[in-house]
Amino acid sequence: MEELIKSILLFREERDWGQFHTPENLAKSIVIEAAELLENFQWGPACDQEKVAEELADVIIYCILLSDCLKLDFYKIIENKLKENCKKYPIEKSKGNSKKYTEFE
Amino acid sequence: MEELIKSILLFREERDWGQFHTPENLAKSIVIEAAELLENFQWGPACDQEKVAEELADVIIYCILLSDCLKLDFYKIIENKLKENCKKYPIEKSKGNSKKYTEFE
Amino acid sequence: MEELIKSILLFREERDWGQFHTPENLAKSIVIEAAELLENFQWGPACDQEKVAEELADVIIYCILLSDCLKLDFYKIIENKLKENCKKYPIEKSKGNSKKYTEFE
Amino acid sequence: MEELIKSILLFREERDWGQFHTPENLAKSIVIEAAELLENFQWGPACDQEKVAEELADVIIYCILLSDCLKLDFYKIIENKLKENCKKYPIEKSKGNSKKYTEFE
């Protein structure tokens, strides 16, 4: 993963794209790519695995760029969120249902 | 990263959420979380770093889940997309501008 | 407006597209078109007015289709939401600031 | 419809929100609300009609605001897009299938 992140940052640097990559523009880019990913499922559940893989990779690449841009620790923020989700969604309340934690009794 | 991915999959398994995590539902989830991330920038470029980190982590976690669900190799798809981007955006054509490759002359 | 709505529904009927236009698929379509609209602003505030007009129209057309699909009254739901927004955002609390109502003191 | 549009613009004016409503911010707002609409269908096709109506109204209200902001004619842009769609999707090629026009043979 470390090598991949370095390659992504080098790709940006070589093109001098850092100037466009403000946090706001990257947040827009993530949602734009996420919607292109969703377009594969616009009319139903079946999908072209290869196209999905490409769009998914686009989302992840922009996520890595935003993380770098805000000097966030890519692994740490995932780890923290997972810990928080474990608290929000205790196994006994959430097992086998898709309720949002705000809907728990 | 390997450890994180394992923790995410265990989190899902313990809650028996695999049944809800179809590729289509995960694609919807990614765009929903991406829009919550964007909400931090709805009225301008300033943002609360901590909230952004949380929403960004949500996007990444769903990306990891979709990748697993479709049996994609998380690293490989990023690597492949990066290679493709290098072809689509040669340094001499894209340096210092944000044009889409379809707009190159 | 009535005439426009009728034309949109006729367009759908002539193509026998009602079968694809489930509420879920239309909700996906709205977010997909909304993201194409946002793509015009991906790297900054300037935009091509004509392209924006086209994408905006796409969003509205899908909104009209979803409204019809769920047998909602297009005007009534806007009117109701506007009334609710008037309550949520009283002039004295919201004038000149972009705070969400959940952040009011 | 005319009355509704006037009410929406008055609502904005009374709160002095025009300053936040740049085309870019409104485009972000449309996608944010569209994703909240989609959240009703995150885990499947069933939905709460009332919640969907509210979120759908939010999307439409922001569409009206963006249209006003760019001095677009709300009806004209829908009419134009519909005409274009009629050309892109001739009945004989698109009847009963959900193919994108780029995929026609």
Side-chain angles (χ1 to χ4, degrees), chain D residues 2-15:
Chain D
E2 277 313 307
E3 282 310 305
L4 271 177
I5 293 181
K6 272 186 207 158
S7 305
I8 291 168
L9 298 180
L10 179 63
F11 176 85
R12 170 166 72 185
E13 205 187 312
E14 287 176 339
R15 278 151 194 81

Side-chain angles (χ1 to χ4, degrees), chain D:
Chain D
M1 193 69 189
E2 277 313 307
E3 282 310 305
L4 271 177
I5 293 181
K6 272 186 207 158
S7 305
I8 291 168
L9 298 180
L10 179 63
F11 176 85
R12 170 166 72 185
E13 205 187 312
E14 287 176 339
R15 278 151 194 81
D16 199 13
W17 280 357
Q19 57 185 311
F20 308 116
H21 288 187
T22 62
E24 185 186 3
N25 288 351
L26 290 170
K28 282 182 272 174
S29 302
I30 291 170
V31 84
I32 290 167
E33 296 297 339
E36 291 184 10
L37 172 59
L38 184 62
E39 207 180 340
N40 286 279
F41 303 93
Q42 187 169 10
W43 305 116
C47 71
D48 176 327
Q49 184 113 344
E50 211 170 314
K51 281 190 198 164
V52 169
E54 277 193 40
E55 299 297 350
L56 179 57
D58 274 333
V59 177
I60 299 163
I61 289 170
Y62 275 124
C63 286
I64 290 169
L65 288 166
L66 178 54
S67 173
D68 175 78
C69 186
L70 289 172
K71 311 278 176 237
L72 299 170
D73 180 322
F74 190 75
Y75 311 106
K76 198 72 195 162
I77 63 170
I78 301 174
E79 202 187 319
N80 287 347
K81 194 64 217 287
L82 202 55
K83 271 186 203 156
E84 206 196 307
N85 284 346
C86 284
K87 278 189 221 156
K88 271 188 186 168
Y89 295 94
I91 296 174
E92 68 275 14
K93 290 209 174 179
S94 50
K95 190 163 186 175
N97 74 65
S98 62
K99 274 188 199 157
K100 217 177 164 172
Y101 71 96
T102 49
E103 294 166 1
F104 287 151
E105 283 159 31

Side-chain angles (χ1 to χ4, degrees), chain B residues 24 28 39 43 98 100, chain C residues 24 28 39 43 98 100:
Chain B
E24 185 185 3
K28 284 183 271 176
E39 206 180 340
W43 305 116
S98 61
K100 217 177 164 170
Chain C
E24 185 186 2
K28 282 182 271 175
E39 207 180 340
W43 305 116
S98 62
K100 216 178 166 172

Side-chain angles (χ1 to χ4, degrees), chain C residues 22-33:
Chain C
T22 63
E24 185 186 2
N25 287 352
L26 290 170
K28 282 182 271 175
S29 301
I30 291 170
V31 84
I32 290 167
E33 296 297 339

